[in-house]
Amino acid sequence: MVNILGTSRQFAILWDFLIEMRESHDFEINQEIIWLVFRSYSRANLPSDAIRAFDRMAEFGLRPSVDDLDKLLYVLCKCKHVKCAQQFFDRVKHKFEAKAKTYSILVRGWGDIGEAVEARKVFDEMLGLGCALDVLAYNSLLEALCKGGNVDEAYKMFREIGSHGVEPDACSYAIFIRAYCEANNIHSVFSVLDRMKRYDLVPNVFTYNCIIKKLCKNGKVEDAYQLLHEMMERGVSPDAWSYNTILAYHCEHSEVNRATKLISIMVKDNCLPDRHSYNMLLKLLVRVGRFDRATEIWESMGERGFYPSVSTYSVMIHGLCKKKGKLEEACRYFETMIDEGIPPYASTIEMLRNRLIGFGLLDHIEILACKMERGTSCSIQELAKEMRGNKASVRSRNEETELESE
C-alpha cells in the first residue's frame, strides 16, 4: 500500500496511513517501509521531502542508522538529486559513523552527473578520514573520472590501487572498456580485454555488449562474431541484446541470409529471439520483397514461444502497405490482429485507411470498421471510429518510439 500511494504521489494519504498503522499497533513500521517513502519522493523530484521523511523516522519509533542514511543518499543520487544528497550528508555526517560505502554512493552520484571534481573532493575526504577503502570505492571514483573525460587521470589512479592493498576486479576494467568504447578507441578496448585474461577476470554480458555495439558501428561485424564465441568459451551467455546488435547491422545492410541465419543461431544457442529481433528481421524481409521468407518467419514465431504484439503486427502492415499488390495481405494481418484482441496503433489505422481510400476501396474500410466494432476489446471498438475517419488520429509517444526503433 505504501508503494502504491507513493508511486501515485498520494503523499498526504500515505502519511495518514502510516500514522494510522502506528497508532493501531496492528503492523510494525520498519526501515524498509520508510525506504519506500524515500524512493517515492526522490522519483517525484521532491528531494527535500525525502529528507524530511528521514528526519521523521523517530516519530515511528525508528532510530536512523547509517544504513538508512545510505539508502536515502542512494535513491537521491539515483534520481540525480546529488547536490541535495551532499548538502544533507554534510549536515548530518557528524551523527553517523559513515564508512566507505556511504562516501562511494556520493562519489558515484557526482560521477553520474559528470561532476568529476566534486567526486574527487568526496573521495579525498574519505581518504582523509582513514576509511577502509575497498574496490567499490575506487571503482566509483574511476567511473566518475572517466565519465568526466579524465580517463588518463583515472588510469593513473588505477595503476596505484594495488599499493593501497586493493585488487582491481572485473568492474574496474569494465569502466575503462566503456570509456574507450565511448572514445571509439577499439585498440585500447582489446588491450584491456587481454589484460583481464592475464588476471583471469571475465567481463559480464553488459561489458561485452558494449564492445559488440562499437564493433558493429565501425563495420567490424566479423570481430563481433568472434567476441560472441569468446563470451561463450569464457562462460558468459550472450543475451538477446548481444545478438540484436549484430542483427541490426545485417538488417541495415540488407544482408537477408546472414540475418535469418543469425535468428537460427540464437535459437540454437538457447537465446530466444525477442520482439526487437523479429521486428527488425520482418521489416528487412518486407522491405526487400522477400515475402516468402517473411511468412516463414511469422509462422515459426509461435513454435519458438513468441507471439506477435501490436508493434510486430504494425511492422508487417506498414511494410506491406508500401508494397505494390500487397494491400490485401496487409488487411489480412490487420484482421488477424483484431481477432487476437490487440488494439492497433492509430498510425496503422491511418496508413491502412489512406491506402484503401487511394485505391477506392471504401467498402473494405467499412468491413474493417464493422469487424472492429464486433471486437472483444473496448479499445478496438472505440478505434472503429478512426477507421471510418470520424476521429483525428493521435500517435502516442510510445508508439512513435517503437515504430522508429524497429
Side-chain angles (χ1 to χ4, degrees):
M1 179 61 74
V2 171
N3 191 39
I4 292 171
L5 291 171
T7 302
S8 57
R9 304 190 181 193
Q10 300 293 326
F11 294 113
I13 299 174
L14 188 156
W15 284 109
D16 287 343
F17 176 69
L18 290 177
I19 291 169
E20 185 178 327
M21 287 172 61
R22 179 189 66 192
E23 294 178 352
S24 68
H25 302 291
D26 290 335
F27 191 86
E28 180 185 359
I29 297 175
N30 55 31
Q31 271 105 341
E32 284 78 6
I33 291 175
I34 302 299
W35 292 353
L36 290 175
V37 180
F38 296 165
R39 188 180 67 182
S40 297
Y41 273 127
S42 296
R43 289 180 174 178
N45 290 321
L46 297 168
S48 297
D49 290 298
I51 290 169
R52 274 193 283 273
F54 182 91
D55 291 334
R56 291 187 65 177
M57 289 181 68
E59 295 179 27
F60 298 90
L62 299 171
R63 183 179 179 181
S65 67
V66 71
D67 289 335
D68 301 312
L69 176 63
D70 288 348
K71 181 60 69 171
L72 174 63
L73 296 177
Y74 175 78
V75 296
L76 287 173
C77 290
K78 192 76 173 174
C79 296
K80 311 301 183 187
H81 306 302
V82 188
K83 187 176 181 180
C84 289
Q86 185 69 60
Q87 289 173 344
F88 177 67
F89 176 69
D90 289 339
R91 176 162 64 87
V92 302
K93 60 187 177 184
H94 65 282
K95 299 179 183 178
F96 300 92
E97 189 179 345
K99 295 183 172 60
K101 179 183 177 181
T102 311
Y103 285 95
S104 297
I105 291 169
L106 290 168
V107 170
R108 185 174 292 272
W110 284 117
D112 286 342
I113 62 173
E115 294 287 349
V117 173
E118 294 296 330
R120 186 63 191 254
K121 194 183 298 182
V122 175
F123 187 85
D124 289 342
E125 180 180 332
M126 177 169 51
L127 280 177
L129 292 172
C131 289
L133 300 185
D134 55 14
V135 69
L136 175 63
Y138 276 103
N139 286 350
S140 298
L141 182 59
L142 292 175
E143 189 159 19
L145 291 171
C146 286
K147 284 184 176 180
N150 302 314
V151 182
D152 291 339
E153 183 183 351
Y155 187 68
K156 181 181 178 182
M157 171 167 283
F158 173 76
R159 296 182 64 180
E160 298 171 354
I161 289 178
S163 63
H164 295 279
V166 177
E167 285 295 322
D169 60 8
C171 291
S172 311
Y173 290 93
I175 291 166
F176 290 97
I177 288 176
R178 290 194 296 271
Y180 289 134
C181 281
E182 186 72 23
N184 203 29
N185 188 343
I186 298 297
H187 176 75
S188 293
V189 166
F190 280 97
S191 292
V192 175
L193 275 179
D194 290 341
R195 187 168 179 181
M196 291 183 74
K197 290 175 186 175
R198 289 200 297 272
Y199 291 100
D200 200 27
L201 293 172
V202 182
N204 61 24
V205 66
F206 304 106
T207 304
Y208 273 119
N209 286 350
C210 183
I211 306 171
I212 290 171
K213 180 179 180 180
K214 182 55 62 175
L215 288 171
C216 289
K217 190 171 182 179
N218 288 350
K220 298 179 179 295
V221 70
E222 302 307 328
D223 290 340
Y225 273 107
Q226 288 181 15
L227 207 59
L228 273 182
H229 296 316
E230 178 184 310
M231 289 172 70
M232 290 182 276
E233 286 174 0
R234 303 194 71 191
V236 180
S237 299
D239 60 13
W241 204 98
S242 314
Y243 292 98
N244 284 347
T245 303
I246 301 175
L247 180 63
Y249 176 89
H250 292 319
C251 290
E252 183 181 342
H253 291 81
S254 300
E255 297 173 351
V256 172
N257 291 336
R258 298 201 72 179
T260 51
K261 183 179 179 182
L262 185 57
I263 292 289
S264 300
I265 292 173
M266 290 179 72
V267 176
K268 181 183 175 183
D269 292 342
N270 296 315
C271 179
L272 292 179
D274 63 8
R275 174 172 62 90
H276 298 290
S277 314
Y278 284 117
N279 288 4
M280 284 190 290
L281 181 57
L282 290 169
K283 190 173 183 178
L284 165 66
L285 294 172
V286 173
R287 188 181 79 238
V288 300
R290 294 301 305 271
F291 306 113
D292 55 334
R293 298 291 291 274
T295 301
E296 288 176 15
I297 293 295
W298 186 276
E299 292 175 351
S300 71
M301 292 191 302
E303 300 170 6
R304 294 167 176 169
F306 177 85
Y307 299 94
S309 64
V310 58
S311 67
T312 309
Y313 273 107
S314 296
V315 164
M316 293 298 290
I317 296 166
H318 283 239
L320 291 168
C321 277
K322 296 173 184 177
K323 293 293 180 179
K324 186 177 180 180
K326 292 295 177 179
L327 184 56
E328 185 178 345
E329 195 170 342
C331 288
R332 283 202 297 270
Y333 277 99
F334 187 86
E335 290 187 61
T336 303
M337 178 167 54
I338 299 305
D339 291 338
E340 293 289 332
I342 302 173
Y345 291 143
S347 60
T348 304
I349 297 172
E350 181 182 14
M351 171 172 274
L352 190 56
R353 182 175 181 277
N354 289 342
R355 292 290 288 172
L356 289 169
I357 289 173
F359 283 95
L361 302 173
L362 301 182
D363 55 332
H364 282 60
I365 293 176
E366 185 58 29
I367 291 170
L368 291 175
C370 289
K371 189 177 186 68
M372 293 170 75
E373 286 178 332
R374 296 193 301 270
T376 56
S377 165
C378 293
S379 298
I380 294 176
Q381 294 168 10
E382 184 66 25
L383 287 168
K385 297 177 184 177
E386 296 194 21
M387 179 56 75
R388 290 194 173 98
N390 296 333
K391 183 179 178 183
S393 297
V394 179
R395 183 184 296 190
S396 70
R397 189 169 75 177
N398 183 54
E399 174 184 339
E400 287 203 13
T401 301
E402 286 192 340
L403 286 173
E404 289 173 5
S405 65
E406 309 303 355

